[in-house]
Amino acid sequence: MCGIVAYVGQKDAYPILINGLKRLEYRGYDSAGVALFETDIIVSKKKGKVQELVNFMDTRPRNGKIGIGHTRWATHGVPDDINAHPHSSGNGRLTLVHNGIIENYALLKAALEKEGHKFKSETDTEVLVHLIEEIQKRDNLPLEEAVRIALTRVIGAYAIVVLDENEPGKLVGARKASPLVIGIGENEFFLASDATPIIEHTKRVVYLNDEEIAVVRQSGEMEIKSINNEVLTPFIHELDMEIEMLEKGGYDYFMLKEIYEQPNTIADCMRGRLNAEEGWIKLGGVDEFANRIANAQRFIIAACGTSWHAGLIGEYLFEELARMPVEVEYASELRYRNPIITEKDVVIALSQSGETADTLAALEMAKEKGALIYGIVNVVGSSIARMTDAGSYIHAGPEIGVASTKAFTAQVTLLTMMALRIGYQRGTISESYFRLLLNELASIPAKVERVMASNQLIEYIAGEIKDRPNALYLGRGYNFPIALEGALKLKEISYIHAEGYPAAEMKHGPIALIDENMPVIVIATNKSAYDKIVSNIQEVKARKGFVIAVVTEGDTVISELADHTIEIPDTEEPLTPLLSVIPLQLLSYHIAVMRKCNVDQPRNLAKSVTVE
Ligand code: G6P
């Protein structure tokens, strides 16, 4: 949440910052701003999306080879021009952008007000820049030293970049619990919340660690220190990402592109890890801790949002295939309870971004209790990826649409491989079923491709229900988490109220809502409990509900009952979610487009939720 980007070097900073902000807009789009430093620092900021800022900049100075930029997801203070970043110190000398939350800002603000500081905005960020100013002017310190001391007094999360009008030619950046990446070019540096604004300029990056401060200079020098003033040697990574991955590639929205990428992303997730012919699965992270994982007392899966839904499928998979006890936890709940976690547990974190603050904090807590921490993450080099004991990247490539699609199916693919790998080692799955599932899993990308062929039908169905105010999603077994995910997709991008429910639970409440206006989307591909789900559909029809059923190809029973059916190819039951979720992603997408919603940037949401 909130994206920051900064540049110092030999080129004009403005286009680099604006392109960077566009790439980071998935992190928040309440306001955007830049500060450009030529002879003075000039701050320009605007409520709304980056495009509003671009329009505003038509009449503003845009020169300078140094600058910082920000796109905001509001925490403290409404989204308006004044609360927009960058924020400046009282004397105007310092300008700062920030991602995170300064939790003790009220105390710091009161103390600074006593010293005569006056604040223009309601933000915690403005307090931080005034704090740095106060420390700097009291002892006449260089910027980096003032920043360092200020940060020792801050409680909370931050990634910041600061400019000082009296110290031209340099930027100071720092991080704690919010990401900051430094791109290294020829006598130039790029600082950003993730690598996406950097990739078109350089592939050489340094991921700043918590409580580290970087000084980068126009002359090409970089120094990194800890908050305790130790000089550190940075480790330079080579980015494995191409610029095309960040473009829409002819699609209207990133979300649609990402839905269509799934045959490839699922295959990428399996590449080199699964060999159906030879009958093996290799997962480096699991192999490294094979005995500890296979003999764990229990798995605890911690995640948020769509990743939590993938985790729920993980529970079904691990229980069935590896006979392993599993608990699936909302990371935000887990961390604030007093959970019983021991060194015999394995805590598995699922996170697309690898930066979700609640997930990160839950893992830190579990680590302290001695559990083995396993990360299933998409963004390479992210905070969760770096703090875990072991893990597997899902290799879905950059996901830019705020509503997660391809990361979800890659997470489920990874969990399926993990359950198979562990089940095989534990002897809880027969050789023949193991081989069968391996073959089936290898055929999933082609089957996902076949689901895409129903796109026109799905678009037609979307037109039928786009104006209904509510929707109910029902599923059983492996399709229950898919009902939850389908409902979440619909509400987050089309603003239609939707609920996911276990189909049998419908009669304990939601059935009261059913009438001819209620679309009920039933994911009915089950082999086990098939008759039961047919009965559930009959119960809905008896109350005049409008039924859209996702069924297995060739199903004639449900197509007689339902108002519309969408067919998916047959597969083994544990693999069904990888196919049944696809029509629901497409359905939400089309409904959102028809309702003229901004599919990629739904209101109030953001990706990479770095606030708690
Ligand atoms: C936000 C995003 C969701 C995502 C969730 C968890 O709510 O909008 O798409 O599922 O965060 O994010 P993570 O990066 O940890 O998977």
Side-chain angles (χ1 to χ4, degrees):
M1 292 195 162
C2 296
I4 60 183
V5 58
Y7 175 77
V8 55
Q10 317 305 318
K11 301 181 192 130
D12 278 338
Y14 176 69
I16 295 170
L17 298 183
I18 287 295
N19 283 339
L21 290 180
K22 286 186 178 160
R23 298 236 186 269
L24 292 173
E25 217 169 5
Y26 72 87
R27 302 177 69 89
Y29 25 85
D30 288 332
S31 62
V34 288
L36 293 162
F37 188 1
E38 194 175 33
T39 42
D40 309 311
I41 298 175
I42 298 181
V43 177
S44 310
K45 47 193 194 173
K46 256 298 158 260
K47 178 182 171 187
K49 302 224 158 96
V50 175
Q51 192 52 45
E52 301 290 328
L53 175 69
V54 173
N55 299 344
F56 177 59
M57 290 303 283
D58 282 347
T59 57
R60 305 273 303 164
R62 290 186 280 182
N63 298 331
K65 310 237 179 294
I66 306 178
I68 58 180
H70 188 272
T71 177
R72 178 169 186 246
W73 186 85
T75 56
H76 296 68
V78 293
D80 63 12
D81 293 354
I82 294 172
N83 288 329
H85 297 218
H87 288 283
S88 302
S89 57
N91 58 14
R93 184 179 152 181
L94 308 181
T95 309
L96 174 147
V97 285
H98 168 220
N99 163 213
I101 290 185
I102 307 301
E103 285 169 11
N104 59 338
Y105 86 103
L107 277 176
L108 294 170
K109 187 171 186 176
L112 287 163
E113 276 170 340
K114 275 199 194 138
E115 302 289 333
H117 286 257
K118 301 241 174 321
F119 295 91
K120 297 189 184 109
S121 76
E122 302 156 83
T123 64
D124 51 338
T125 304
E126 194 184 8
V127 174
L128 179 57
V129 68
H130 278 247
L131 176 66
I132 300 170
E133 171 190 24
E134 181 64 29
I135 292 168
Q136 185 181 43
K137 77 175 180 218
R138 212 175 36 210
D139 295 322
N140 200 18
L141 294 170
L143 176 64
E144 55 272 31
E145 189 55 10
V147 168
R148 190 184 69 77
I149 295 169
L151 293 179
T152 60
R153 296 181 49 190
V154 157
I155 299 170
Y158 54 77
I160 56 168
V161 186
V162 201
L163 274 175
D164 183 340
E165 206 160 68
N166 291 8
E167 298 180 38
K170 82 173 171 196
L171 291 171
V172 175
R175 77 154 268 176
K176 183 181 180 192
S178 289
L180 194 61
V181 187
I182 305 170
I184 306 167
E186 287 292 317
N187 289 338
E188 60 179 358
F189 295 96
F190 309 81
L191 278 72
S193 299
D194 71 23
T196 60
I198 297 175
I199 186 75
E200 60 203 86
H201 307 288
T202 175
K203 290 199 165 184
R204 299 174 71 225
V205 298
V206 171
Y207 295 100
L208 217 56
N209 291 311
D210 275 352
E211 304 203 313
E212 288 181 2
I213 298 165
V215 186
V216 290
R217 296 173 202 273
Q218 214 163 16
S219 51
E221 293 136 37
M222 171 171 75
E223 297 139 38
I224 298 186
K225 273 188 178 181
S226 75
I227 200 170
N228 303 322
N229 218 8
E230 301 146 306
V231 177
L232 304 165
T233 312
F235 180 78
I236 299 175
H237 296 254
E238 231 6 74
L239 286 176
D240 178 21
M241 196 193 285
E242 300 304 329
I243 191 72
E244 299 74 49
M245 294 175 170
L246 306 174
E247 311 285 352
K248 282 193 201 139
Y251 288 91
D252 290 342
Y253 287 98
F254 280 109
M255 183 183 176
L256 189 62
K257 176 187 174 223
E258 288 158 6
I259 292 173
Y260 272 88
E261 277 175 346
Q262 289 174 110
N264 291 334
T265 48
I266 293 172
D268 288 344
C269 182
M270 295 190 284
R271 199 177 310 286
R273 291 167 161 171
L274 178 149
N275 188 320
E277 272 164 36
E278 292 174 18
W280 54 254
I281 287 180
K282 287 195 182 114
L283 287 169
V286 177
D287 297 345
E288 195 184 338
F289 290 88
N291 288 334
R292 185 148 172 211
I293 293 174
N295 297 316
Q297 167 178 279
R298 147 185 93 141
F299 289 172
I300 299 169
I301 301 179
C304 305
T306 289
S307 296
W308 187 84
H309 295 156
L312 215 51
I313 297 170
E315 178 176 33
Y316 288 64
L317 290 164
F318 286 127
E319 278 183 6
E320 180 171 352
L321 304 175
R323 305 303 299 142
M324 184 60 88
V326 182
E327 280 169 38
V328 188
E329 301 274 2
Y330 287 112
S332 55
E333 287 297 315
L334 181 66
R335 60 177 295 205
Y336 288 115
R337 291 211 311 269
N338 189 6
I340 301 160
I341 300 178
T342 73
E343 61 284 353
K344 291 187 185 144
D345 293 318
V346 173
V347 176
I348 302 172
L350 286 164
S351 176
Q352 187 286 127
S353 61
E355 299 294 347
T356 302
D358 281 320
T359 310
L360 196 55
L363 294 184
E364 269 152 13
M365 185 257 294
K367 200 170 194 174
E368 269 171 36
K369 292 177 188 281
L372 181 83
I373 310 294
Y374 198 95
I376 298 180
V377 169
N378 191 30
V379 177
V380 175
S382 55
S383 302
I384 292 177
R386 285 182 297 138
M387 69 77 67
T388 49
D389 298 307
S392 307
Y393 284 118
I394 59 171
H395 297 309
E399 189 182 64
I400 294 164
V402 164
S404 183
T405 52
K406 65 175 181 173
F408 174 78
T409 44
Q411 286 169 335
V412 175
T413 306
L414 201 292
L415 286 164
T416 310
M417 289 193 289
M418 206 169 158
L420 283 166
R421 159 74 182 78
I422 298 166
Y424 192 73
Q425 182 182 351
R426 283 167 57 85
T428 51
I429 181 169
S430 69
E431 179 77 32
S432 56
Y433 193 43
F434 177 75
R435 289 236 171 200
L436 175 70
L437 285 179
L438 249 54
N439 272 311
E440 259 311 299
L441 197 50
S443 75
I444 286 289
K447 290 188 177 177
V448 171
E449 193 97 55
R450 270 164 58 197
V451 181
M452 304 296 184
S454 302
N455 186 38
Q456 272 193 338
L457 166 68
I458 296 168
E459 190 173 358
Y460 173 78
I461 298 171
E464 298 259 288
I465 60 170
K466 69 176 186 356
D467 296 320
R468 313 275 177 111
N470 297 291
L472 184 62
Y473 287 70
L474 302 176
R476 299 179 83 108
Y478 283 99
N479 281 327
F480 162 54
I482 296 302
L484 296 179
E485 176 58 10
L488 177 64
K489 283 284 91 72
L490 187 67
K491 71 186 132 195
E492 65 185 342
I493 62 169
S494 72
Y495 319 137
I496 293 175
H497 169 249
E499 279 188 64
Y501 244 78
E505 275 291 304
M506 173 188 66
K507 53 188 170 296
H508 300 292
I511 200 162
L513 300 171
I514 293 175
D515 60 17
E516 62 279 11
N517 295 317
M518 176 67 96
V520 183
I521 296 97
V522 189
I523 308 106
T525 58
N526 306 53
K527 295 197 170 100
S528 52
Y530 177 80
D531 296 342
K532 302 267 186 265
I533 200 127
V534 171
S535 305
N536 296 142
I537 293 174
Q538 271 156 340
E539 286 153 18
V540 174
K541 281 315 300 175
R543 281 142 191 103
K544 301 197 171 61
F546 185 79
V547 174
I548 297 154
V550 178
V551 298
T552 307
E553 266 168 7
D555 186 317
T556 49
V557 178
I558 294 176
S559 50
E560 288 288 303
L561 293 172
D563 296 272
H564 292 289
T565 49
I566 305 165
E567 293 194 343
I568 61 169
D570 189 23
T571 188
E572 286 301 309
E573 197 137 8
L575 310 185
T576 317
L578 290 168
L579 302 179
S580 58
V581 74
I582 310 286
L584 307 188
Q585 295 171 343
L586 285 167
L587 187 67
S588 309
Y589 169 80
H590 289 302
I591 292 174
V593 170
M594 288 171 188
R595 289 167 66 90
K596 303 203 170 10
C597 299
N598 185 334
V599 172
D600 286 338
Q601 294 172 348
R603 71 181 177 212
N604 304 340
L605 291 173
K607 226 171 168 66
S608 200
V609 183
T610 51
V611 298
E612 295 168 19

